Amino acid sequence: GKGVRTAYITNRGLADVLSIGRQARKELYNLQPEKPPPLIPPELCLEVDSRLSADGKPLATLDEAGLRQLCRQVEALAPRAVAINLLFSFIDDTEEKRIESALQQSGTDTLFISRSSDVLPEYREYERGITTTLNAYVGPLMQGYLQRLEQKIPGSRLAVMQSSGGTASAHQAGRYPVQLLLSGPAGGLKGAQYVAEKSGFDRLLTFDMGGTSTDVSIIDRDIGFTTEAHIGDYPVAVPMVDMHTIGAGGGSIASVDAGGLLLVGPESAGADPGPACYRKGGTVAAVTDANVVLGRLLPDAFLGGQMRLDKSRSEAAVDDIASALNMDRFEAANGIIDVVNDHMVRALRVMSVQRGENPKDYTLVSFGGAGGLHVCALADALQMQRALVPVNAGVLSALGMLAAEPSRERSITLQQVLTESDEKVIAEHYQQLRRTAEQELIEIAGGSDMQVEHSADLRYVGQSYTLNLPWSRPDALAQAFHRLHEAQYGHRMDIAVELVNLRVRLLGEKPVFDLPEWQPTEEARAGVASVYGFDQPVSVYIRNALQVDECIDGPALV
């Protein structure tokens, strides 16, 4: 809600599209739902007399008088950004370009302008409009941040992580800030992929467990992407890493509802005041407090010994839960861990079992500050045989950004029955998309060799949602779609396959980056600890002291 004042320009009669959306209701049975304020206020939504038919034929063209009137309206409203979203502009972008040029020539040269035919030239006017508007809404702010950062590091090349797992130049990132919304989680996935490849694994289930939330994803040799992601209530249809997020983290608060049921999350204690053991004023039990009570977190070893946890405060907080549940302290703490683990197991099943994948075929990779505390229990629950905890798990998103190659994605809607498509026309579209992406990627990749990936979004005629597949000849592509649809949904249909979108992804050379050879730094064995659930004291090991290929016969705390 902290973007700039933005005007929205669309066709006559369509100013309310962003407010109406898909008419989906969050609370189906609430007769008096609270209506959120519109992203763009009605007074900033402008309409123009321009219209294309669904096959791209001009039905009404904006004349010069209409352009001048529009420029006067924009000048009077004094926005910092403008989003232009005309019907079927992905077929013919002439009118959007005319409006952009007129606004630029009218003296508003400081105006940040987003065209839907540039940001997202795909069908679905609502999703295209929201994505274009969000791009304009945060554009001037992001441009300002990146320009100031570049000025502070003269002589250096600034690369910015994108939601798709690749990097962009600061100029491109500032022009398309909507591409950056999931840059942090994307960095984590890239880091997980990089470390796992070094260890010889390429099929991964990942979970990034921080203080407030857990991000779950699947990597089957390559990172998966989606164009159906949401940021808050808004659909953002640009390519993003495919992940599922739940409100489960180290700071997730435990409570007991009116029926006596133990709940964990989604409310979080955050970093301030944080869990009770942080001694910052928190008094309610969080997942971290439960781990402290159970002996899984050692008060003197937190943050490498730089921060001492107060076990007595964790015990007091968990005692409140235990009292409400009429059980002892350790049973209550163990219950908190069981509940939060169940949340994460269900999320991992969403990304694997519900997509026809068997978790046993994958390696579970945990990262984020709290991931290592839960990885073994999750692997057991999913009957997985391997788990990987990277050395740099707490900062894996940063590591992933160092390992990421430059990339650029471009797409266009070309809606037609696959068997009736003209391969020559499709090849021309791919060439145009590639040229555009190359011009944008060259800013950061220079003259290096670029890897090109062509793909297409397909569906059965009459469906709303698509599946993405690498491009090949139409007959082979149709068969591949049938197989993928059956693998994901359990059935195939005797219906024509429709081509919806063409996509091009360009990748520059991977950066010269490698992790140093592992060198143990100290004595590995660090005594024993008492951990709930084990009759005998548990051995404690220092991670930085473990040898390569060292085998530990558990139970153990690392």
Side-chain angles (χ1 to χ4, degrees), residues 11-305:
N11 305 87
R12 180 73 61 195
L14 296 174
D16 293 327
V17 162
L18 298 190
S19 299
I20 295 172
R22 289 287 168 202
Q23 301 187 41
R25 289 160 55 185
K26 271 188 172 182
E27 303 169 279
L28 192 59
Y29 300 107
N30 187 348
L31 298 181
Q32 295 179 310
E34 193 172 317
K35 188 176 180 181
L39 178 61
I40 304 298
E43 63 271 16
L44 288 172
C45 294
L46 306 176
E47 299 178 339
V48 294
D49 290 317
S50 173
R51 193 68 174 255
L52 286 178
S53 66
D55 55 2
K57 295 177 182 176
L59 300 177
T61 302
L62 187 60
D63 58 24
E64 291 302 318
L67 271 176
R68 289 193 295 272
Q69 182 184 0
L70 176 64
C71 290
R72 287 194 295 270
Q73 286 178 293
V74 171
E75 188 176 356
L77 291 171
R80 286 183 62 189
V82 169
I84 308 170
N85 180 38
L86 302 184
L87 279 181
F88 306 111
S89 60
F90 53 86
I91 300 176
D92 185 347
D93 61 2
T94 304
E95 290 286 83
E96 285 197 353
K97 284 183 173 178
R98 285 184 65 214
I99 292 172
E100 180 184 38
S101 178
L103 290 173
Q104 289 170 338
Q105 294 172 14
S106 66
T108 52
D109 54 343
T110 59
L111 205 59
F112 185 97
I113 301 175
S114 287
R115 274 189 296 112
S116 72
S117 53
D118 176 42
V119 175
L120 189 70
E122 297 179 16
Y123 85 124
R124 289 179 172 162
E125 66 275 11
Y126 170 59
E127 285 79 4
R128 184 172 75 249
I130 283 288
T131 304
T132 304
T133 302
L134 288 176
N135 195 73
Y137 186 63
V138 298
L141 302 177
M142 186 63 75
Q143 268 193 345
Y145 297 152
L146 294 174
Q147 287 171 359
R148 290 193 293 275
L149 181 55
E150 275 197 306
Q151 291 167 4
K152 296 287 185 182
I153 52 170
S156 299
R157 188 177 68 180
L158 178 62
V160 184
M161 194 71 179
Q162 302 176 99
S163 305
S164 58
T167 59
S169 69
H171 173 259
Q172 288 296 329
R175 184 178 171 189
Y176 303 105
V178 76
Q179 304 275 2
L180 315 178
L181 297 173
L182 279 186
S183 58
L189 277 188
K190 201 70 181 179
Q193 182 186 41
Y194 173 82
V195 173
E197 281 180 351
K198 294 290 183 183
S199 305
F201 306 124
D202 59 7
R203 304 189 79 194
L204 317 171
L205 264 177
T206 71
F207 78 101
D208 176 5
M209 185 180 182
T212 301
S213 63
T214 295
D215 297 320
V216 175
S217 190
I218 189 169
I219 299 176
D220 190 357
R221 297 174 180 84
D222 289 316
I223 293 173
F225 299 98
T226 181
T227 56
E228 297 169 9
H230 281 70
I231 300 295
D233 293 330
Y234 304 121
V236 181
V238 296
M240 298 186 182
V241 291
D242 189 9
M243 59 175 47
H244 180 54
T245 301
I246 59 170
S252 294
I253 292 173
S255 61
V256 180
D257 70 8
L261 189 69
L262 176 63
L263 307 176
V264 181
E267 187 181 356
S268 173
D272 191 2
C277 58
Y278 280 16
R279 296 185 293 179
K280 290 186 176 182
T283 58
V284 292
V287 172
T288 298
D289 293 308
N291 277 311
V292 171
V293 168
L294 296 174
R296 299 177 180 185
L297 270 178
L298 304 183
D300 294 329
F302 197 69
L303 286 183

Side-chain angles (χ1 to χ4, degrees), residues 404-408 441 444-445 448-451 506-511:
E405 62 272 83
S407 75
R408 191 74 185 113
L441 190 59
I444 188 170
S448 64
D449 291 336
M450 297 181 187
Q451 179 185 338
L506 257 62
L507 298 170
E509 286 187 28
K510 289 190 175 183

Side-chain angles (χ1 to χ4, degrees), residues 290 293-296 328-335 529-535 538:
V293 168
L294 296 174
R296 299 177 180 185
D328 70 36
R329 174 189 299 163
F330 293 106
E331 288 177 320
N334 204 50
S530 177
V531 180
Y532 176 77
F534 300 98
D535 296 333
V538 169

Side-chain angles (χ1 to χ4, degrees), residues 494-514:
D494 188 18
I495 298 176
V497 177
E498 186 177 37
L499 171 63
V500 180
N501 300 313
L502 302 179
R503 299 189 183 277
V504 164
R505 186 168 195 242
L506 257 62
L507 298 170
E509 286 187 28
K510 289 190 175 183
V512 180
F513 169 76
D514 209 351

Side-chain angles (χ1 to χ4, degrees), residues 358-480:
N358 189 342
K360 294 180 184 179
D361 299 333
Y362 289 78
T363 299
L364 184 61
V365 183
S366 75
F367 52 103
L373 286 159
H374 301 263
V375 63
C376 292
L378 302 187
D380 282 344
L382 293 164
Q383 299 180 5
M384 299 176 73
Q385 302 301 308
R386 288 186 306 273
L388 176 64
V389 185
V391 174
N392 302 285
V395 290
L396 205 68
S397 291
L399 185 148
M401 292 179 189
L402 292 174
E405 62 272 83
S407 75
R408 191 74 185 113
E409 292 79 21
R410 276 287 172 180
S411 63
I412 192 167
T413 291
L414 192 68
Q415 203 167 340
Q416 53 193 248
V417 175
L418 184 59
T419 55
E420 299 173 3
S421 59
D422 187 329
E423 289 190 63
K424 185 177 179 181
V425 172
I426 290 172
E428 290 172 356
H429 278 292
Y430 273 131
Q431 279 295 105
Q432 180 58 48
L433 291 173
R434 177 174 176 170
R435 282 194 294 269
T436 303
E438 281 179 343
Q439 292 168 3
E440 295 171 339
L441 190 59
I442 203 165
E443 289 185 21
I444 188 170
S448 64
D449 291 336
M450 297 181 187
Q451 179 185 338
V452 185
E453 298 174 358
H454 292 170
S455 67
D457 294 341
L458 305 168
R459 66 187 180 190
Y460 287 119
V461 172
Q463 286 185 325
S464 297
Y465 293 96
T466 62
L467 295 174
N468 181 262
L469 288 122
W471 176 257
S472 61
R473 293 187 62 87
D475 53 348
L477 191 58
Q479 291 306 313

